[in-house]
Amino acid sequence: GENVEQHPSTLSVQEGDSAVIKCTYSDSASNYFPWYKQELGKRPQLIIDIRSNVGEKKDQRIAVTLNKTAKHFSLHITETQPEDSAVYFCAASTHQTGANNLFFGTGTRLTVIP
Amino acid sequence: DVKVTQSSRYLVKRTGEKVFLECVQDMDHENMFWYRQDPGLGLRLIYFSYDVKMKEKGDIPEGYSVSREKKERFSLILESASTNQTSMYLCASRFRGNTEAFFGQGTRLTVV
């Protein structure tokens, strides 16, 4: 199956600084790359996603970039705030008839220091 | 509002017991997933189902089985629980195709 690697495992930034989390994937057939945020004690929730026909997508302070040739994608958070503190997971998915499996990375614990 | 509900939030079982974890979704999603979450290991896929009675093994299926007799319900079964299956278990569901996956609240299972 797909192998998704995520770095770093922990990240601390000062409030107002930017944070970048990077992921690589192994299956060239993967074409959908979502990012999930999991706050302490809560379930993971989608924050942004990107499809393989797009190189970059932005939603307010969050952006995701995709390099299909290199098989890597990144999450960028600008002007970080304490409420951005959470664990972030990247994922990769392939579109196959009937079966759309979803593989996750190992997660990044982001701490925003006030 | 999508609801994915797991039957228990916390569960304590003894070694060797047969354990059932239930997941129900109310959005008519075709795809359902069971993940295991451990610190430093992220979300590891145990099993995936893309239709009623259809299933695929994920990365760590050993010691687990699943059942999907109805579209809305996906059950994870530990045939003989062992202490190394102590973990947080998360169920998720989504429509066919590359769409948003919705997670249940998780079941923290402790095997003693």
Side-chain angles (χ1 to χ4, degrees):
Chain A
E2 171 70 277
N3 182 39
V4 180
E5 295 191 358
Q6 183 171 349
H7 300 280
S9 56
T10 60
L11 180 60
S12 291
V13 299
Q14 291 289 334
E15 182 177 358
D17 286 352
S18 295
V20 180
I21 302 169
K22 298 184 179 182
C23 289
T24 60
Y25 61 98
S26 61
D27 189 346
S28 57
S30 289
N31 57 6
Y32 173 66
F33 307 93
W35 286 86
Y36 285 78
K37 175 183 180 182
Q38 186 178 31
E39 296 176 353
L40 191 63
K42 296 191 176 179
R43 66 192 78 189
Q45 292 193 299
L46 180 74
I47 54 171
I48 195 167
D49 56 16
I50 191 167
R51 298 175 194 278
S52 58
N53 58 345
V54 175
E56 184 174 359
K57 184 176 178 180
K58 194 172 180 181
D59 182 4
Q60 298 183 345
R61 297 186 297 108
I62 295 172
V64 58
T65 58
L66 170 65
N67 182 327
K68 281 219 77 177
T69 304
K71 292 190 200 147
H72 68 69
F73 56 113
S74 301
L75 178 71
H76 304 253
I77 306 174
T78 58
E79 300 171 26
T80 53
Q81 300 167 4
E83 51 264 39
D84 294 329
S85 295
V87 178
Y88 292 81
F89 293 99
C90 62
S93 181
T94 57
H95 186 112
Q96 301 169 12
T97 302
N100 296 107
N101 222 330
L102 185 61
F103 294 93
F104 284 85
T106 49
T108 297
R109 182 174 298 280
L110 173 65
T111 303
V112 179
I113 304 163
Chain B
D1 202 22
V2 176
K3 245 191 201 164
V4 182
T5 304
Q6 295 181 227
S7 52
S8 304
R9 193 73 195 262
Y10 299 95
L11 213 50
V12 180
K13 294 292 181 181
R14 295 196 179 277
T15 302
E17 274 193 82
K18 190 168 186 175
V19 181
F20 292 85
L21 302 184
E22 306 283 346
C23 176
V24 177
Q25 50 93 4
D26 65 355
M27 280 301 291
D28 205 34
H29 288 163
E30 293 88 1
N31 294 353
M32 296 188 76
F33 308 82
W34 274 107
Y35 294 93
R36 174 175 168 162
Q37 183 172 17
D38 299 289
L41 298 178
L43 299 169
R44 292 183 292 167
L45 182 65
I46 305 171
Y47 266 99
F48 161 58
S49 170
Y50 53 93
D51 205 344
V52 175
K53 296 190 187 297
M54 306 304 287
K55 62 186 179 186
E56 277 190 10
K57 291 180 181 179
D59 292 328
I60 51 165
E62 297 79 18
Y64 304 94
S65 62
V66 290
S67 172
R68 188 141 180 229
E69 296 297 317
K70 293 186 177 182
K71 191 174 185 179
E72 66 270 19
R73 187 180 297 268
F74 192 33
S75 302
L76 179 69
I77 304 155
L78 287 66
E79 295 290 342
S80 177
S82 65
T83 55
N84 62 11
Q85 292 178 309
T86 291
S87 186
M88 171 67 84
Y89 290 87
L90 285 164
C91 172
S93 71
R94 66 175 182 173
F95 286 116
R96 183 175 294 138
N98 285 322
T99 59
E100 178 178 359
F102 295 87
F103 283 84
Q105 77 276 27
T107 296
R108 184 164 293 283
L109 172 68
T110 302
V111 182
V112 297

